[in-house]
Amino acid sequence: MEYVDQSQGCEKTILVTVNVQILEDLDPEEFRLLAKSAGAEILDHLTVQRIKPDPKFFIGTGKAEEIAEQVENDEIELVIFDQALSPAQERNLERILKCRVIDRTGLILDIFAQRARTHEGKLQVELAQLDHLSSRLVRSRSNLDSQKGGIGLRGPGETLLETDRRLLRIRMEQLKDRLEKVRKTRVQGRAARQKANIPTVSLVGYTNAGKSTLFNILANSDVYAADQLFATLDPTLRRLDWDGIGTLVLADTVGFVRNLAHSLVESFKATLEETLEATLLLHVIDASSPDMMEQIDAVETVLKEIGADIPTLRVYNKIDQSHDEAKIIYAKPHQPERVYVSAHTKQGLDLLRRAVHECLMGQIQKFELRLKPAYGKLKNQLYELNVIESEHYDDDGQLLLSIAIAPHKLEQLIKQAHLPIDEILGEKAQQFKRPLEEFEIKR
C-alpha cells in the first residue's frame, strides 16, 4: 500500500491558532512560517481563546460554524490547526467545514515529505506519515461493512476498512525493517570510527538556527541551506581534519521544533542516533530570535527524550543580527560553555574551533620538543595537526620544535609512536608521569 500525499501546495488556506489555557502557549509567527514552508496560500489567520479544548470540534460549535461560513464565502480548500487534533475532531471539522483539515503534525509531515532527499529520509517520512494516517484511516465509500464476494470468496471475511488497516500495518512493518538495516549500517560505521579513535561532533538545534550554514563553513561542504524552516531534513556526515585534533566526523542533523509529536521523534530515531553517539554536541542557537529561550528548551526537551546525555557546547549564531560580540564564555577554567559566532559573516569561527578543541582535547599548552632524525614520523603527525609554531636545528643536528597542543593529544602521539617522553620533552615530561591505564581511560 502506497501513501499518496494529498497536499498539492498553493491551496487557499485558513490558519487557526487555538490558545488553550491548560496547554502550552503557541507561536503564531512560527506557525505561519511552517504553513508557508509547505506552500500554503494563507488568506486568513484566526486566533481562538479557550479555557479547554472542545471534545467534538476542539474550537467549539459556534466558532466552527463561523469558520465554515468563511470557508464557503472565500472558497477555502484547507484549514490548518496549530494543535494536535484527535482523529474524531479532524473528521468532525471536515464535515462541518466541508474542506480538508489537518493539524500541526500533518503540516510538519507535509514539509518533511517535500524536503526528504535520501533513501533513509524518505523511509522515515513515509513511516511517520503512515503512523499518523493509521488512526485517521477512513473510506470515502458509504458501505464500509461490505465484504469481498465472488466464487471461493463468499463467507466470513474482513471489511474494506479492515483490509486497508491490515495493508497499512504490513507496510509499516516493512519500513521499520528497512530502517533497522539502515540503523545497523550506521552502527557499523560508528564502531569503525570509535575503533580508530575518531571523535564525532554533531550539530543540533532549532530549525532555521543556521546549522547547515555553519556545517558548510566548518566542513567546506555544500549542504543545502536557506532561510526557511526544515531547509534540510536528511543527516549529513563529513570527515575532516581539524587543527590540533586530527581527523573528526562532523554531523548535521534535522532541526527541532516546539510541540514535536512523539511519533515524529520515534520515526526519526535512525537519524537522531548520530546525536546519541556523538562525542560532542554543538547546540546551535539563533541569538537574534525573540523566542531564543523557548527554542533552547524545545531542543533540550527532545535531547532528553532520546536520552542524549552528551557534553554540549552552546553556539550562539547570527551575532551579526543580535549585535553580540564574538567571544567564548567558560563554565570553569579551560571548559568552554558558550561561544558567540556568525556563520553568515564568519565572525568568531576561530573562537569556535578553539572551543571545540578545548572540549575534545583539553587546554592548549606550548611545548618545546627535541626530536632525533629517526623521529620523523612524529614530526609529520604534528605537521598534519597544524600545531607547529616554529622549528630549528641545534648544534647536534636535532630538530627543536615549538608547538601548541593539548597535553593529552601530545602524550597520545608520543605513546603511540613508542618514543621516550623524557628525551623528547625534558623536564616537562614530569607532568605525564602516570600509569598507561589512566591514559587509556582519559583518552
Side-chain angles (χ1 to χ4, degrees):
M1 178 180 179
E2 183 179 357
Y3 171 62
V4 180
D5 182 14
Q6 294 177 320
S7 177
Q8 303 299 320
C10 297
E11 295 170 285
K12 293 182 179 180
T13 305
I14 290 178
L15 305 182
V16 181
T17 296
V18 186
N19 290 321
V20 182
Q21 291 183 8
I22 63 174
L23 299 177
E24 182 181 355
D25 290 338
L26 304 175
D27 183 355
E29 184 57 31
E30 180 181 274
F31 184 35
R32 288 180 66 87
L33 288 174
L34 284 170
K36 286 182 179 179
S37 296
E41 179 187 349
I42 303 171
L43 297 188
D44 199 0
H45 188 170
L46 306 176
T47 301
V48 181
Q49 303 290 338
R50 288 194 63 85
I51 297 176
K52 62 180 180 179
D54 178 75
K56 186 174 182 180
F57 296 116
F58 199 88
I59 54 175
T61 305
K63 198 64 180 181
E65 292 174 348
E66 181 181 324
I67 296 175
E69 184 177 348
Q70 185 176 354
V71 166
E72 183 179 1
N73 293 337
D74 296 339
E75 298 180 346
I76 299 298
E77 302 169 87
L78 175 66
V79 176
I80 308 176
F81 282 74
D82 193 13
Q83 284 281 13
L85 301 175
S86 70
Q89 288 169 336
E90 206 170 286
R91 288 194 296 270
N92 292 335
L93 284 166
E94 286 186 342
R95 290 192 187 102
I96 192 171
L97 301 182
K98 295 182 173 58
C99 72
R100 285 202 311 119
V101 174
I102 63 173
D103 61 4
R104 182 184 180 88
T105 302
L107 175 61
I108 294 175
L109 280 172
D110 185 87
I111 299 172
F112 281 5
Q114 294 179 44
R115 305 284 159 79
R117 294 290 180 268
T118 66
H119 175 64
E120 177 190 355
K122 291 176 181 178
L123 288 177
Q124 291 178 132
V125 169
E126 186 180 354
L127 177 60
Q129 286 176 322
L130 292 177
D131 181 63
H132 186 65
L133 181 66
S134 60
S135 60
R136 289 162 169 77
L137 192 61
V138 293
R139 280 272 189 171
S140 59
R141 307 177 191 182
S142 58
N143 185 9
L144 296 182
D145 292 327
S146 61
Q147 297 177 348
K148 295 179 179 179
I151 298 174
L153 296 175
R154 295 185 179 94
E158 60 185 348
T159 65
L160 294 173
L161 189 56
E162 288 170 344
T163 301
D164 285 348
R165 285 174 175 159
R166 179 174 55 82
L167 294 175
L168 187 143
R169 285 195 299 270
I170 292 173
R171 178 59 178 166
M172 289 177 68
E173 289 302 319
Q174 291 173 341
L175 291 171
K176 288 177 181 178
D177 288 342
R178 292 186 185 181
L179 284 171
E180 179 62 20
K181 292 179 181 178
V182 171
R183 189 193 69 81
K184 289 180 179 178
T185 301
R186 287 189 179 279
V187 168
Q188 292 174 352
R190 284 194 294 269
R193 294 198 299 269
Q194 290 168 357
K195 186 176 181 180
N197 200 28
I198 299 175
T200 299
V201 178
S202 183
L203 276 67
V204 299
Y206 207 78
T207 183
N208 204 30
K211 294 190 311 303
S212 295
T213 303
L214 188 60
F215 178 87
N216 285 337
I217 294 172
L218 295 177
N220 192 24
S221 185
D222 58 353
V223 171
Y224 178 70
D227 185 17
Q228 57 183 201
L229 302 183
F230 300 112
T232 53
L233 177 62
D234 302 303
T236 308
L237 280 73
R238 294 287 186 274
R239 182 179 291 226
L240 61 145
D241 293 323
W242 195 288
D243 290 353
I245 297 175
T247 302
L248 63 76
V249 172
L250 194 66
D252 186 19
T253 58
V254 62
F256 300 151
V257 70
R258 274 179 285 184
N259 301 320
L260 192 63
H262 180 74
S263 59
L264 293 183
V265 176
E266 283 294 316
S267 298
F268 284 83
K269 268 194 172 177
T271 298
L272 296 173
E273 277 186 356
E274 286 300 334
T275 299
L276 285 172
E277 298 297 331
T279 312
L280 174 69
L281 296 183
L282 298 185
H283 180 180
V284 183
I285 299 163
D286 182 355
S288 66
S289 172
D291 300 318
M292 180 179 68
M293 298 309 299
E294 290 81 0
Q295 292 176 0
I296 292 173
D297 289 341
V299 172
E300 291 181 347
T301 297
V302 176
L303 290 176
K304 185 176 181 181
E305 185 175 348
I306 64 174
D309 185 17
I310 296 165
T312 302
L313 174 66
R314 288 187 177 183
V315 182
Y316 288 79
N317 190 27
K318 304 187 183 181
I319 61 172
D320 55 309
Q321 299 178 30
S322 66
H323 307 296
D324 290 302
E325 63 177 13
K327 58 187 175 182
I328 300 177
I329 294 179
Y330 290 83
K332 298 177 181 178
H334 314 301
Q335 185 178 325
E337 180 185 59
R338 288 178 278 167
V339 57
Y340 289 76
V341 305
S342 170
H344 179 64
T345 63
K346 300 185 180 180
Q347 292 175 261
L349 293 186
D350 55 335
L351 297 178
L352 174 60
R353 291 186 175 95
R354 174 179 162 188
V356 170
H357 185 287
E358 291 192 54
C359 287
L360 290 177
M361 309 305 299
Q363 177 194 6
I364 299 175
Q365 294 183 21
K366 293 186 181 295
F367 294 92
E368 300 294 330
L369 274 60
R370 185 181 298 272
L371 301 182
K372 291 182 177 180
Y375 300 165
K377 182 178 179 181
L378 176 60
K379 172 190 169 184
N380 293 337
Q381 289 178 316
L382 294 172
Y383 266 107
E384 288 176 0
L385 292 176
N386 197 26
V387 297
I388 297 178
E389 296 185 339
S390 66
E391 67 169 283
H392 65 277
Y393 289 89
D394 63 11
D395 296 337
D396 298 328
Q398 295 192 90
L399 179 63
L400 303 180
L401 295 179
S402 295
I403 65 173
I405 192 172
H408 166 81
K409 184 65 176 180
L410 177 59
E411 183 180 27
Q412 177 186 350
L413 294 174
I414 294 175
K415 285 184 178 292
Q416 286 177 346
H418 304 290
L419 299 178
I421 292 181
D422 291 336
E423 181 182 315
I424 292 173
L425 289 174
E427 294 181 358
K428 270 208 168 184
Q430 296 302 318
Q431 72 182 84
F432 298 109
K433 297 297 184 181
R434 61 182 190 271
L436 179 62
E437 290 76 10
E438 184 182 351
F439 161 72
E440 294 291 349
I441 292 171
K442 292 191 176 182
R443 187 175 65 183

